[in-house]
Amino acid sequence: MSLTLEQVHRVAHLARIEISDAEAASTLGHLNEIFALIEEMQAVDTLGIEPMAHAQDLAQRLRADRVTESDQLAQRAAFQAIAPETEAGLYLVPKVIE
Amino acid sequence: MKQWEVVIGIETHAQLSTEAKIFSGSSTAFGAIPNLQANAVDIALPGVLPVLNRGAVECAIRFGLAVGAEIAPRSVFARKNYFYPDLPKGYQISQYEHPVVLGGKLVIQVGDTDQTVHLTRAHLEEDAGKSLHEGAGQHFQGRSGIDLNRAGTPLLEIVTEPDMRSSAEAVAYARALHALVRWIGICDGNMQEGSFRCDANVSVRPIGQPHFGTRREIKNLNSFRFMQQAIDYEVQWQIATLEDGGSIEQATVLFDPVTGETRAMRSKEDAHDYRYFPDPDLLPLAIDRQWVEQIRAQMPELPGAKRDRLMVDYGLSLYDAEVLTSSLELAGFYEAAVAIAGRSNAKACANWVMVDLAARLNKEEREIGDSPVSAEQLGGLIARIADGTISTNMARKVFDTLWNGEGGSADDIIASQGLQQITDHASLERLIDELLATNATMVAEFRAGKEKAFNALVGQAMKATRGKANPQQVNELLRRKLA
Amino acid sequence: MIEHSLQAIALSLKSKEISSVELTQLYLDRIARYNPRLNAYLAVDPAISLGQAQAADERLARGEGGPLTGIPIAHKDIFCARGWLTTCGSKMLSSFVSPYDAAVISRFHAAGAVVLGKTNMDEFAMGSSNETSFFGPVHNPWDTTRVPGGSSGGSAAAVAARLAPAATGTDTGGSIRQPAALCNLTGMKPTYGVISRYGMIAFASSLDQAGPLGRSAADCALLLNSMAGFDERDSTSLNRPAEDYGRELNAAAGAKPLAGLKIGLPEEFFGEGCAPEVMHLVEAAVAEYRQLGAETVAVSLPSMGLSVAAYYVIAPAEASSNLARFDGVRYGYRAPDYHDLTDMYCKSRAQGFGAEVKRRILIGTYVLSHGYYDAYYLQAQRIRRLIANDFAAAFRQCDVIIGPTSPSTAFKLGEKASDPVQMYLSDIYTIAVNLAGLPGISLSCGFAGGLPAGLQLIGDYFTEARLLNVAHRYQLATAWHLQRPAAFD
């Protein structure tokens, strides 16, 4: 199978990556080459094979229900020092519309 | 004209009462200054990883047991991918194909009948942060402010089958669920703070049509009243639309309490492609039998069972038993009072708790949990009424004294203020004889047929004993003497 | 000193033959001199490094410290290090100073090692040549017109040119082993879960694993001892008893130190696809192993041919989600001009990520999207299971699997940069190991045309100590790993 330009635009938007028509066209070529490689998988009959999501067949470890943070004011200051835009302790973004 | 059937399913997000967040060690306490309770994991710094809070899993297990559901021995956390500024990782960790709680049911009361609402599932997930907009004391021009204190707070999303057929049923379900999650201690139920939020999936279909109509989802109903209003509006809107020859588009709508109307959200674009996949950072969640049994052993008696038991053990009416089991605290208070007052006074205890105490609490906007009069104090007071030590009128004064924190027990107050009822027949008779002698006019009036004069004489007697005489006894004595 | 093993350096530090400050300064001077030719380092901070060296010297003076105290180590710029620029090779994080330490950094800090600097890498570890770095490619010290491999190319070039005694890397599909092969180093990817991923910027979470890059297996064992260990902050970190990964290295052995060892030779590793000059060196190494007493058996990994296909579904899928947090809201690059929220996201990400990263995000987004999930993602996970099963079957017949690390020696800069599929195929021998979560090690097995070639050893889960020993015995018998590029005296 191969992708269409329209699909490239759609996926780019889902991924929130601006893409020009020219970029989309060149990307489409690369993606189709890569998908040609990926398609090799489709020839394999995997009926009854359990998908493997993790490298190990283990169960998840849990943490105790305990607060671990202290000195959060200093921590917040350190975190917000590297933020693009903050005010009154809030991260600022262009207006969110619901 | 067509007859329409309303079909409602409810999804509820109950914030779980854990100390720490679901995947980090930040506090879940409400009301901190912005982003104070947002640690490296919560703000999704590069490289950080989630670790699941055992307490949140225990809450889910408690819920599953309370609704008779299956606790999945293995469940999976997935990532729900979408971009939103209050979602720091760009995905929400939630359970998708394999939730922790499967099935279950809740019995609700609609009018006088019991109805069963079947649950589809309940799953664990993390809450998002909050976007604060201009206004509301904020003034960042044309921008929104993001507070991630709530991001990562544990939620249990509880999903019903489309079993409800009216707004009244939906509200009854929501109330019953609200009472239950508080009862089993997994959620504080505070709707103002967003601890318990409901989404209602509403559709209508002509009666007899086998398949469901297209549904619209009303989001974030944070009071029972709004739920009722929103569903009622939505139902009439859908019926009107269909009767006008229109069709219903699947949509997410918001309820505006000011206009009383629902309106479609400016949809999160591509909201329908969340690209769920198992979170590679989190291995499957395993819950063994032993853990479930351990939690089962710690479960409180559930409201339905307690209600039935109160009716059998104490002879309470269905109504009384319902009211007294509306919360675990109230039921606990009631049973503690009965334990002191004695089982034979169970009905009196119910009346005191439901009438006198409830009125007083209500007046002062207090919860049963911070009643100034303890269950033990109230039980002691009721015992003294029952054994005739004090009259009901006098008991109200003792109650006031207890309420004001003056005096440790009913007995102490009765003793220190000399409030014991005068039941000694001889002394009461002496008192009445004196009264008749000094109130000849009233006696004459009574004999002349004025019943009012009799009441005045009773009043005089009560006044003379400063209320301590048993009014019934006074009554009898007076009648006899005047006969 | 720059040819000393880590153990020898530790002895020199203990005996005060050299101080940590002197040693650190020596490397800082070399970096100042040679790094412009290599572009191996992205950040060097002499004040921090020398301060740590000073502290290490005080520790050593008190008779305290362990085998790594005072030794400067270079870290791949994928590890968050408090106060250090941590860019992950991306414009997106070009001004990101980490407010916290990764687990690996903390562990080295606790061991008293010195942070020598942060090394260049393919952007977000996506690449096999180090050419996708926003900060320009790294040059291979053996031939600066060639690539050092990737994605841990900066770490590999730094150690190969003796600009660091040792370095850390991460390996998602071969990113430690392949640059080790191309730079004449020893590099190990341990069993998934042995080293905490906390603070290591995620590429593909179910495949990523940190590991050491050094000049010998013995050095790698010392580094792994420090890096490995349970971390409650990583749900996938394994809670196992601590072990000394070098424990088998010092055992006395005769002329046949590997007698009893069964080496599996998978037909899939010895067929077409590998450059003949590399294959000859690998075959010579196999012959050397027979000399050392090992027995060889033919094994088969029938699904291995699908590993690249499965990998280029699973890794981009996970990456597309892992990289969603780079949205210009809380840290990282934000586009200067935009007209609304969505536009801010789209422009910040379009400008902040490079072409290869964007390509993989698009692949990952596509394979997870509605209607394609089963055909791609689930199918890839089923193939992943088949690959893991192949290895399990093979390890019933042998102790260690041997093959080439990379199908070729270092290729020219720019040679594959515009051909993603050719680039992806550079990892055909390494990717399956990540999919299965197994430990693997690459060591040099000779030179072809003046360029080093790598031999890969793969073991069953948790057999790092044995792998290191098998590599070590070869290095005792050969001298390839001692060669160093002439241009960096």
Side-chain angles (χ1 to χ4, degrees), chain B residues 40-52 79 81 83-91 97 143 146 148 269 272-283, chain C residues 80 93 96 99-100 192 197-201 205-206 232-236 317-318 321-322 324-327 330-331 334 338 341-342 345 349 365 368-370 373 377 381:
Chain B
V41 174
D42 307 322
I43 72 166
L45 283 180
V48 298
L49 296 167
V51 182
L52 180 59
R79 293 184 181 178
N81 294 284
F83 286 87
Y84 212 67
D86 65 12
L87 188 71
K89 295 185 294 295
Y91 57 84
E97 281 184 291
R143 334 262 306 148
I146 306 300
L148 299 174
E269 298 163 81
H272 302 302
D273 204 341
Y274 290 125
R275 290 158 284 136
Y276 282 100
F277 74 109
D279 191 329
D281 288 329
L282 295 164
L283 298 163
Chain C
C80 287
L93 291 177
F96 178 76
Y100 80 107
Y192 183 86
R197 292 184 297 115
Y198 191 83
M200 189 175 113
I201 299 175
S205 311
S206 78
E232 61 180 13
R233 297 167 300 177
D234 173 0
S235 283
T236 59
E318 294 184 10
S321 177
N322 282 334
R325 69 188 57 200
F326 301 104
D327 59 4
R330 299 163 314 288
Y331 49 78
R334 181 185 283 196
Y338 46 83
L341 178 67
T342 300
Y345 285 149
R349 291 167 60 79
T365 304
L368 289 177
S369 65
H370 190 69
Y373 180 83
Y377 190 73
Q381 285 201 330

Side-chain angles (χ1 to χ4, degrees), chain B residues 346-465:
Chain B
K347 176 66 189 159
C349 287
N351 289 341
W352 269 90
V353 170
M354 290 164 58
V355 180
D356 301 82
L357 178 66
R360 196 65 186 265
L361 288 170
N362 202 30
K363 192 172 152 202
E364 299 195 9
E365 294 184 350
R366 284 171 185 260
E367 297 295 323
I368 187 76
D370 57 8
S371 165
V373 179
S374 71
E376 289 70 22
Q377 288 172 324
L378 186 65
L381 175 63
I382 292 165
R384 294 293 84 85
I385 304 167
D387 67 12
T389 307
I390 53 171
S391 65
T392 301
N393 273 341
M394 202 51 82
R396 297 217 160 83
K397 288 185 184 146
V398 176
F399 180 82
D400 285 347
T401 310
L402 288 169
W403 184 276
N404 296 327
E406 300 156 6
S409 71
D411 285 342
D412 290 348
I413 295 165
I414 292 165
S416 68
Q417 299 189 10
L419 301 178
Q420 298 92 328
Q421 203 157 239
I422 301 170
T423 47
D424 169 15
H425 202 80
S427 55
L428 200 60
E429 202 168 344
R430 218 164 27 246
L431 186 133
I432 287 183
D433 286 341
E434 280 170 34
L435 197 74
L436 294 178
T438 50
N439 288 284
T441 330
M442 280 191 207
V443 174
E445 282 176 7
F446 173 72
R447 294 227 155 96
K450 281 194 175 172
E451 190 63 20
K452 254 190 182 167
F454 182 82
N455 291 339
L457 285 167
V458 174
Q460 289 287 332
M462 295 308 289
K463 193 176 170 190
T465 59

Side-chain angles (χ1 to χ4, degrees), chain A residues 1-14 17-32, chain C residues 362 366 372:
Chain A
M1 66 156 283
S2 57
L3 279 76
T4 64
L5 258 186
E6 192 263 321
Q7 280 174 312
V8 173
H9 279 291
R10 190 186 115 73
V11 169
H13 187 69
L14 260 182
I17 293 174
E18 186 179 65
I19 191 165
S20 67
D21 289 343
E23 282 173 310
S26 75
T27 299
L28 177 65
H30 283 307
L31 293 187
N32 279 332
Chain C
L362 295 183
Y366 180 75
Y372 299 99

